[in-house]
Amino acid sequence: MLMPLRSRFRLLQRRRIEPLQLQQLHDNLATEATLNTVYLILIVGSCAIATFGLLTNSTAVIIGAMIIAPLMLPIRGLAFGALAGNLSLFRQGLLAVMVGTVLAVVLAAGLGLLTGISSFGSEVLSRSKPTLLDLGIAVAAGGISGYAAVQPKLATSLAGTAIAVALMPPLCVVGLGLAHGNWSLSLGAGLLYVTNFLGITLACMVTFLLAGYTPFKQARKALIWAIAFTVMLLLPLSVSFARLVQQTRLESSLRAALLTRTITFQSLELVSFDTDWLSTPPQVRLTVRSQKPVTPKQVQLLESFVKREMGRPFTLIFAVSQVEEVTRNQTTGSTTYDSKGSERVNTAP
């Protein structure tokens, strides 16, 4: 099994790239990594769209910001510059990425302060808990992005890889967290951004190497550094992945306990169940339908039950949509208010 792989790798290394092809790739990547007005406008536009999408918890709006994907392009130039030992291209790409990163964080923080919204939805919270799965996504998307650079016919796939790896939304979450002093949110989103950045960089390097655009001897040092930085992420991402598995199991047990072992939920219809693990204690938001209102006393009893069953406290937040049954035989009435503002029902004859 290993011998055919080694043979194919040697064949790839012997592949000769014409100087014209190499120069064309260099010129294209240098153009993409240029820090100019167009790039800055795309950063500002993409950041504004992503931030507003995160604040409104709109997946469609966030995807729109991902498609613009201004940060993806200089990362490819940075990767090729490091791999080929081209310091000029490497510095050019690094500068563009750094300026774009800082600008996005500052703009997102400003928009977060301006709007004053400090309660975030699932789109924000989901980007604060990176795991090994996110690294895998970044590596796969980075490989496709690098291959699209050496195969111009595949340039249209860049939008899809940008959506998959999502560089801008994590930066916006970092800014929103800083705006409201939520350090755990900013650190988690920052780790996701670094994971995506290193995953894309490493995958692009490997793709350019396998495509024969750089000899292995020349690329070895840069490749080792990229692998070393990526390996450093494995520990926090592994811990986060183990925590995700544990939280998923705990959430499943909590849901089952509420639905099958409490009297309250026998008269409720559960619509959605979402847990905010960043809060202390974790907040469980339950959207339910009911013919009767849920009282604070019921919530208190349920929280006591959950603490006994799960071995840790949870804060339960109910969003109740009341269901009223209406038939044609019911008496019709109209509601009016007297001079003191009291409600009075007038029954029709």
Side-chain angles (χ1 to χ4, degrees), residues 203-282:
C204 283
M205 284 182 172
V206 173
T207 302
F208 293 144
L209 178 65
L210 294 178
Y213 280 84
T214 307
F216 180 74
K217 289 183 179 180
Q218 184 179 357
R220 182 172 54 187
K221 186 175 181 180
L223 202 58
I224 290 174
W225 276 106
I227 293 174
F229 282 125
T230 305
V231 168
M232 289 172 63
L233 292 175
L234 293 180
L235 178 60
L237 292 178
S238 298
V239 172
S240 183
F241 181 72
R243 187 183 299 119
L244 175 64
V245 173
Q246 181 185 17
Q247 289 173 352
T248 302
R249 291 175 178 173
L250 188 61
E251 189 173 287
S252 178
S253 299
L254 173 58
R255 181 186 181 117
L258 287 172
L259 290 176
T260 62
R261 300 182 60 186
T262 61
I263 298 175
T264 301
F265 271 84
Q266 292 179 9
S267 60
L268 299 178
E269 178 187 352
L270 183 62
V271 177
S272 66
F273 185 102
D274 185 55
T275 308
D276 178 9
W277 294 97
L278 294 179
S279 303
T280 305

Side-chain angles (χ1 to χ4, degrees), residues 18 21 39 54 70 73 105 123 151 162 192-193 233 250 278 287 335:
E18 297 295 330
Q21 289 180 277
Y39 174 74
L54 290 166
L73 301 179
V105 171
E123 290 292 343
Q151 294 288 340
L192 176 58
Y193 174 72
L233 292 175
L250 188 61
L278 294 179
T287 303
T335 304

Side-chain angles (χ1 to χ4, degrees), residues 46 48-54 56-67:
S46 177
I49 295 171
T51 303
F52 290 133
L54 290 166
T56 57
N57 205 41
S58 173
T59 304
V61 175
I62 297 171
I63 290 176
M66 296 177 191
I67 293 175

Side-chain angles (χ1 to χ4, degrees), residues 282-296:
Q283 291 183 351
V284 181
R285 181 171 292 275
L286 303 109
T287 303
V288 298
R289 292 194 184 99
S290 173
Q291 293 184 1
K292 299 179 181 179
V294 177
T295 65

